[in-house]
Amino acid sequence: MNFVEELTWRGMVHTMMPGTEELLAKEQVTAYLGIDPTADSLHIGHLCGVMMLRHFQRCGHKPLALVGGATGMIGDPSGKSQERNLLTEETLRHNVACIKKQLAKFLDFESDAPNKAELVNNYDWMKDFTFLDFAREIGKHITVNYMMAKDSVQKRLNGEARDGLSFTEFTYQLLQGYDFLHLYETKGCKLQMGGSDQWGNITTGAELIRRTNGGEVFALTCPLITKADGGKFGKTESGNIWLDPRYTSPYKFYQFWLNVSDEDAARYIKIFTSLSQEEVEALTAEHAEAPHLRVLQKRLAKEVTVMVHSEEDYNAAVEASGILFGNATSEALKKLDEDTLLAVFEGVPQFEVSRDALAEGVKAVDLFVDNAAVFASKGEMRKLVQGGGVSLNKEKLSAFDQVITTADLLDEKYLLVQRGKKNYYLVIAK
């Protein structure tokens, strides 16, 4: 497979240095992409870069994932309007270990293949580099004029930030430039990849290599992913969509991809899956014939959820979706773990009732009118139950005065009341 062709049809090339494609056609190339370890999980904003590394390895080249243990202590001014908080060494070590585990789902770190992926941490080569040595050996090669001309620096100096630009952040591009030089000298790395906002930092590295030892290296960036409506990709009202299930449940992760617009689904399926061009074109054509079936969204959600989580998590997410939108059974509902149950019914009206009352048993009509105001009156509830319009935990309520006890609780805590087809209520026993 030709790497540049592969990325091009996927819409993943923003800028590329002349000569990059020729280099890749000539030899097995080592390339790196930097990941900022500011958290102990990647989020989907990182996924485009990670997919670049994945395609790179699939095309026979050697990927290096660089976690910025050193640069993460400083913070990159690119695309930021204010200085970030600095992390401790212990926090960074923990974050790096967690990120490697996640990357192992996308890249082959373990085989004996000559192009197996490697994880490198710039803290390893920066920690013993003194400031005086860095100023003498690296600082003298790049002029302040050259550094000042970068977009990321200009934006911060021209009033986009309240506090200007600290010296710490100003040195960031030199530190990232030194990473490229170090990997060029120690790993034969000739290509750096990243998001389009990294172009300035990447070219500083290429310039540093040219000025220190005359080497020729290359650069390739992907576009920053946006939504069709101009909104920020991967950001929801509740924050980032994380790859770690502790922060974003597999169900919510799956739902995010399932709910993207048609226009976004057509772009994202190319960027965030490994499906071939033929498969993507066939799916796109099928979707165009019956957009209401959401073929693209369903396949996108499946591919990304299985890749990031597992087939099992994907199946559970589909089953959970069926509970809210389909004709799922009470068995399917009982299988849900508490986190998924709460994620599925997030936003539905909730009521709290006394657990002690349930221990003794309480009539449904008393519980759902007096204790929790699911129904406006006992008469309304009686009528709806007689018409078969009320379900408890996905089973039709046969009698309005049926006795409810703690044995009916889901996860020993919840009752799910359904009024009609679409109205759900979550009753929590405390």
Side-chain angles (χ1 to χ4, degrees):
M1 277 161 60
N2 178 306
F3 178 62
V4 174
E5 282 177 11
E6 184 70 13
L7 286 201
T8 303
W9 81 259
R10 291 181 183 277
M12 292 171 75
V13 177
H14 183 272
T15 319
M16 184 168 63
M17 254 186 212
T20 305
E21 199 163 0
E22 291 74 5
L23 171 77
L24 290 161
K26 192 171 66 182
E27 59 190 76
Q28 181 186 294
V29 176
T30 299
Y32 94 90
L33 179 133
I35 294 165
D36 195 354
T38 41
D40 64 357
S41 171
L42 300 172
H43 53 74
I44 58 172
H46 292 107
L47 262 189
C48 185
V50 173
M51 291 305 290
M52 284 172 89
L53 289 176
R54 182 179 170 91
H55 293 309
F56 193 69
Q57 189 170 37
R58 288 171 70 229
C59 291
H61 301 290
K62 183 177 176 72
L64 303 175
L66 180 143
V67 235
T71 37
M73 287 180 156
I74 286 174
D76 177 8
S78 305
K80 308 286 186 299
S81 59
Q82 60 192 57
E83 189 155 350
R84 67 179 60 180
N85 296 331
L86 306 185
L87 301 174
T88 65
E89 199 178 320
E90 188 187 355
T91 303
L92 280 162
R93 240 200 318 271
H94 165 74
N95 292 357
V96 168
C98 295
I99 287 169
K100 177 168 186 186
K101 210 168 148 191
Q102 290 183 334
L103 288 172
K105 294 194 169 185
F106 299 86
L107 303 169
D108 166 24
F109 287 101
E110 301 302 326
S111 76
D112 299 328
N115 70 326
K116 79 168 184 178
E118 281 183 53
L119 186 86
V120 292
N121 181 349
N122 60 14
Y123 185 71
D124 294 339
W125 56 83
M126 289 307 302
K127 65 178 186 288
D128 298 323
F129 211 157
T130 69
F131 179 74
L132 286 176
D133 287 341
F134 190 80
R136 275 173 61 93
E137 293 174 33
I138 306 304
K140 68 177 184 184
H141 293 289
I142 300 288
T143 66
V144 169
N145 310 47
Y146 179 87
M147 292 170 74
M148 291 282 285
K150 299 293 180 185
D151 272 356
S152 58
V153 173
Q154 284 298 316
K155 281 180 180 165
R156 290 289 289 273
L157 290 177
N158 292 338
E160 285 194 16
R162 286 194 309 274
D163 308 322
L165 180 70
S166 71
F167 173 75
T168 308
E169 288 185 303
F170 183 56
T171 57
Y172 187 94
Q173 61 173 290
L174 263 191
L175 289 168
Q176 186 171 325
Y178 179 67
D179 289 343
F180 202 175
L181 173 61
H182 177 83
L183 293 174
Y184 174 74
E185 291 178 342
T186 58
K187 305 267 185 197
C189 178
K190 293 182 184 174
L191 175 64
Q192 186 182 165
M193 302 189 292
S196 56
D197 61 335
Q198 291 298 309
W199 185 255
N201 292 333
I202 295 173
T203 50
T204 298
E207 185 65 11
L208 183 61
I209 291 167
R210 189 184 69 75
R211 291 186 187 187
T212 49
N213 57 31
E216 189 182 19
V217 291
F218 300 88
L220 188 154
T221 62
C222 61
L224 293 179
I225 311 301
T226 55
K227 293 198 293 191
D229 63 8
K232 193 167 183 184
F233 167 73
K235 277 271 197 279
T236 64
E237 282 172 29
S238 53
N240 283 322
I241 302 293
W242 298 93
L243 272 52
D244 190 316
R246 290 174 304 160
Y247 305 135
T248 301
S249 69
Y251 168 77
K252 271 194 165 174
F253 186 86
Y254 166 78
Q255 283 291 324
F256 170 81
W257 299 100
L258 193 63
N259 290 316
V260 300
S261 69
D262 287 357
E263 198 178 328
D264 286 335
R267 281 189 309 132
Y268 295 168
I269 201 158
K270 296 175 187 174
I271 297 168
F272 299 112
T273 76
S274 296
L275 295 174
S276 70
Q277 190 168 1
E278 293 71 33
E279 286 173 294
V280 170
E281 284 169 357
L283 283 165
T284 307
E286 191 184 338
H287 184 93
E289 282 178 23
H292 64 284
L293 296 178
R294 299 178 73 75
V295 171
L296 276 178
Q297 284 92 336
K298 285 176 182 171
R299 188 59 185 276
L300 170 68
K302 177 180 181 175
E303 292 292 322
V304 188
T305 306
V306 170
M307 179 169 62
V308 169
H309 295 291
S310 68
E311 186 94 36
E312 196 181 0
D313 286 324
Y314 161 72
N315 291 331
V318 172
E319 205 163 285
S321 301
I323 288 165
L324 192 53
F325 307 112
N327 302 314
T329 60
S330 60
E331 279 70 38
L333 184 65
K334 284 167 190 164
K335 276 199 300 193
L336 292 189
D337 60 85
E338 186 177 8
D339 286 348
T340 308
L341 176 80
L342 291 174
V344 170
F345 296 104
E346 184 180 40
V348 308
Q350 296 186 359
F351 300 97
E352 287 183 9
V353 297
S354 156
R355 194 182 178 84
D356 295 342
L358 288 176
E360 294 164 17
V362 58
K363 288 179 183 175
V365 69
D366 295 333
L367 183 64
F368 300 131
V369 177
D370 299 336
N371 303 39
V374 173
F375 300 92
S377 68
K378 293 183 178 180
E380 182 202 21
M381 182 176 169
R382 185 185 288 121
K383 252 190 240 165
L384 278 164
V385 171
Q386 285 166 351
V390 179
S391 295
L392 177 66
N393 298 343
K394 281 287 178 183
E395 284 182 348
K396 286 261 187 284
L397 201 61
S398 52
F400 71 94
D401 56 356
Q402 181 179 321
V403 175
I404 312 293
T405 70
T406 47
D408 294 301
L409 293 172
L410 301 165
D411 287 318
E412 297 181 9
K413 198 174 175 185
Y414 304 99
L415 293 169
L416 180 70
V417 184
Q418 188 175 353
R419 195 175 81 182
K421 277 191 175 177
K422 292 181 178 174
N423 298 308
Y424 287 96
Y425 305 85
L426 201 59
V427 178
I428 305 165
K430 288 198 169 176

